[in-house]
Amino acid sequence: MITDSVANLETVVKSMSQSGYSAGLWKLIRKKGFSDRISSENHHHHHQMAEDLVLDTAIRDWVLIPLSVVMVLIGVLRYFVSKLMRSSPTPDAKILKEGQVVIRARNLKAGANFIPPKSFRSRRFYFSNEENGLLHVPKDQAQNPQAQMFSDPNMAMDMMKKNLSMIIPQTLTYAWVNFFFSGFVAAKIPFPLTQRFRSMLQNGIDLSTVDVSYVSSRSWYFLNLFGLRGLFSLILGDENAIDDTQRMMQMGGFGFDASKSLGAEKDGLDIIQHEWALPGFEHRAESVLRKLVQ
């Protein structure tokens, strides 16, 4: 681009000399115009060169691969430690009874149209009447799940063990990554990204000239922390692979809230519209058989 500009400049010089322009005017034009253009082109060229980074293979061997392997091993170790710390509490008969009542009410709603209207009304009254219905919970007996947790020391201890098994390994691993691997550009994503991903992928690197597709070592730690569920499902099984996002959501949970579950099932039974499916069953069966024959 610069060589083309020089060639065009020589043509302009010849035409200006033939037209009788003075040398002072030409020097002024050259000083004010072309020099600024060349300097801007050189600045743009150096800016493009600054964005292209060549990652050393030593960073891959001593930062990227060890960090990924350590995150996988810590996740597996944390699973077995939490399994050892997990206690087997004795089930509460009241909670089991309420759970079975909820399942029976859901089965009644699912198969309501397959029983006569009188049978459905009697079953609905058995579940949802205001005096002694199984789904009716008086307001004075509704127990707050938070109060239930604090009243049961075993439940509070189990929750504290789960939180400690999640927080302590994360804190130690983050301190290790921040001390040994801070400031490295560890990898590059093979597709372009917008500027909104810069704060997520380049944590610990304060350079606006680096392309957004480059990932820092600290951001690689967070990507492994919240994105290894698929790998853990292969190693530990689908039922045991709970990622840290779900663990953080479970930190605010306080167990089974019986009053809300029973109240929701009661409202669902009250608003259901019963339509017995048996009277029109012969006509529907005849239409299906006619379609099969044809």
Side-chain angles (χ1 to χ4, degrees), residues 59-92:
I59 296 179
R60 177 196 63 193
D61 298 337
W62 296 100
V63 177
L64 185 66
I65 296 177
L67 188 57
S68 303
V69 173
V70 167
M71 291 301 297
V72 173
L73 294 179
I74 287 178
V76 175
L77 181 62
R78 186 172 57 188
Y79 162 72
F80 286 108
V81 170
S82 62
K83 189 175 181 180
L84 291 175
M85 295 174 61
R86 189 184 309 163
S87 60
S88 56
T90 57
D92 190 0

Side-chain angles (χ1 to χ4, degrees), residues 44-61:
H44 181 68
H45 180 70
H46 289 300
H47 181 68
Q48 289 181 346
M49 292 297 292
E51 291 180 352
D52 297 332
L53 300 178
V54 179
L55 300 181
D56 193 359
T57 57
I59 296 179
R60 177 196 63 193
D61 298 337

Side-chain angles (χ1 to χ4, degrees), residues 120-174:
F120 173 74
R121 287 194 298 268
S122 63
R123 285 170 173 80
R124 181 167 61 181
F125 180 79
Y126 175 71
F127 278 105
S128 61
N129 69 86
E130 299 293 336
E131 295 180 359
N132 55 358
L134 296 180
L135 295 177
H136 177 66
V137 179
K139 294 183 179 180
D140 54 349
Q141 294 182 6
Q143 188 176 7
N144 191 357
Q146 298 183 7
Q148 181 182 0
M149 183 196 69
F150 288 112
S151 62
D152 189 1
N154 294 325
M155 186 182 298
M157 184 63 67
D158 291 339
M159 181 169 291
M160 186 180 67
K161 289 179 181 179
K162 291 180 181 179
N163 296 338
L164 289 178
S165 65
M166 182 188 68
I167 294 174
I168 293 178
Q170 286 185 2
T171 305
L172 296 177
T173 309
Y174 179 75

